[in-house]
Amino acid sequence: MGKLQNKVAVITGGNSGIGLTSAQTFINEGAKVVIFGRNQQSLDEAVETLGPNAYSVQGDVSKLEDLERLKKETEDKFGNVDILFVNAGLGVFAPLDQIDEAAYDKQFDINVKGAFFTVQKFQSIMNENSSVILTASAVHEKGVPTGSLYFATKAAVRSLSRTLAAELAPQKIRVNTLSPGIVRTQFADKTNLSNEDFEGFIEMVASQAPLQRAGTTQEIANGALFLASDESAYMTAADLLIDGGWMSI
Ligand code: NAD
C-alpha cells in the first residue's frame, strides 16, 4: 500500500518544477491530486502526464476568488483534503534602489498573501491528521544582494508556518515548511532573472554547499512526501531544509 493511499492532495504551482514532481510522487504513493496554476496549457500537459488521478484548476494564488474556486472544485470532486501543498511562488530580484511598488506588491501578493489565503480557504475542509506544507526556501535565513524582496517573503512564509501550526493544532492539522536550497526548474522563466543569472546563482550555492551541486526536483519532492505522510506525524511548526548543507556550515 502506498504512503498516501486514498489521500486527497492539493498542490499550488503543481504544473511545473518542484510542484509537478511532487504531484507525480504523491500519485505514485496512492493519492489523488489537484494541481493549481495559472497556465492552462501547462496544466493540461501536466494532467496528461500525471494520469487519471490528477485534476487541474486554473487560477492565480494572489486572487481570492480563484482560491475560492479551487476550494469549491476540489470539494465538489473529492470532498475533504488531507494534504495542502502551498508551493506556488516566484522571485523578483533587484537592487534596493531599483525596486518599485509594483514589484514589491507582486512579490508579496504571490508568495505571502497567496500562501496565507490558500491555507485560510482550505481550513474548513481539511481532515483530521492532515498536513499543510508551505514551500519556503533555504534563503529565509540568508541575505544576498538583490534578494531583499524574495528572501523576505520566504522568511514570512516560515513565520506563518509557526503561528498556523499553533492555531491549527487543535483541529489536528500539522503545518511545516519545506525549504529547498537551489534546484533547476522553470523558476528563472518566471522571475526577472536571466537564465544566465540563475545559473550564476546555482554555481554560487553549489560552490558554498558541502555537496557542491544543485538539488533535483525529486530530492525536494521526497521531502514533501515525508511531510505529507504519517511518517512525519510528530512534526509540526518545523522546517525541513533540503539544501546540500548550504545553510548549515
Ligand atoms: P517553477 O517556476 O517551476 O514552479 C513555480 C510554480 O508556481 C509554477 O507552477 C507556477 O505556475 C506557479 N505560480 C507562480 N505564480 C503563481 C500564481 N500567481 N498563481 C498560481 N500559480 C503560480 O519553480 P519551482 O522552483 O518549482 O518553485 C516552486 C516553489 O519552490 C516556489 O515557491 C519557489 O519560490 C520555491 N523554491 C525554489 C527553489 C529553486 O531553486 N528552484 C529554491 C527554494 C524555493
Side-chain angles (χ1 to χ4, degrees):
M1 201 168 93
K3 288 176 185 164
L4 304 181
Q5 206 62 41
N6 301 322
K7 304 274 189 193
V8 175
V10 174
I11 305 180
T12 65
N15 48 341
S16 167
I18 292 165
L20 179 57
T21 306
S22 299
Q24 187 68 71
T25 304
F26 289 7
I27 287 170
N28 293 347
E29 293 291 340
K32 293 182 172 36
V33 175
V34 179
I35 58 172
F36 180 73
R38 284 176 303 181
N39 185 303
Q40 189 62 58
Q41 193 188 334
S42 78
L43 284 167
D44 292 344
E45 286 165 9
V47 167
E48 201 173 313
T49 308
L50 294 168
N53 287 322
Y55 179 80
S56 76
V57 178
Q58 189 278 333
D60 184 330
V61 288
S62 66
K63 295 188 175 145
L64 268 61
E65 64 272 23
D66 290 5
L67 292 175
E68 185 60 39
R69 191 164 40 76
L70 170 64
K71 176 196 170 182
K72 186 174 180 331
E73 282 195 40
T74 301
E75 195 176 13
D76 289 349
K77 181 119 185 108
F78 297 116
N80 283 2
V81 168
D82 303 286
I83 299 148
L84 179 62
F85 187 11
V86 182
N87 167 73
L90 49 69
V92 177
F93 293 88
L96 177 62
D97 62 0
Q98 289 170 33
I99 294 168
D100 60 15
E101 191 178 3
Y104 179 96
D105 287 345
K106 177 182 178 186
Q107 183 68 97
F108 276 80
D109 281 357
I110 293 173
N111 288 16
V112 183
K113 178 183 165 190
F116 178 85
F117 284 104
T118 303
V119 182
Q120 189 198 64
K121 289 283 174 201
F122 276 87
Q123 181 185 0
S124 62
I125 63 161
M126 299 289 293
N127 281 324
E128 274 198 4
N129 301 318
S130 59
S131 170
V132 175
I133 306 159
L134 305 172
T135 305
S137 166
V139 302
H140 74 74
E141 292 188 282
K142 191 97 183 153
V144 171
T146 76
S148 56
L149 291 183
Y150 180 69
F151 290 22
T153 64
K154 292 305 187 179
V157 167
R158 172 66 185 117
S159 173
L160 273 180
S161 71
R162 296 176 196 270
T163 301
L164 296 180
E167 251 183 72
L168 300 185
Q171 210 182 314
K172 296 194 166 49
I173 299 172
R174 300 184 294 114
V175 185
N176 295 289
T177 48
L178 177 64
S179 288
I182 192 88
V183 185
R184 272 191 190 82
T185 60
Q186 275 77 59
F187 187 76
D189 304 346
K190 299 184 191 80
T191 70
N192 60 342
L193 276 184
S194 66
N195 278 320
E196 222 170 52
D197 287 345
F198 189 56
E199 279 303 317
F201 195 62
I202 290 176
E203 272 167 37
M204 181 198 81
V205 174
S207 70
Q208 292 174 0
L211 296 188
Q212 297 276 297
R213 64 170 176 85
T216 65
T217 58
Q218 188 61 61
E219 287 167 334
I220 309 305
N222 293 343
L225 172 62
F226 172 67
L227 290 176
S229 77
D230 292 340
E231 287 186 357
S232 60
Y234 195 51
M235 278 176 77
T236 196
D239 182 40
L240 183 58
L241 188 62
I242 306 181
D243 70 341
W246 184 36
M247 282 303 110
S248 306
I249 53 130

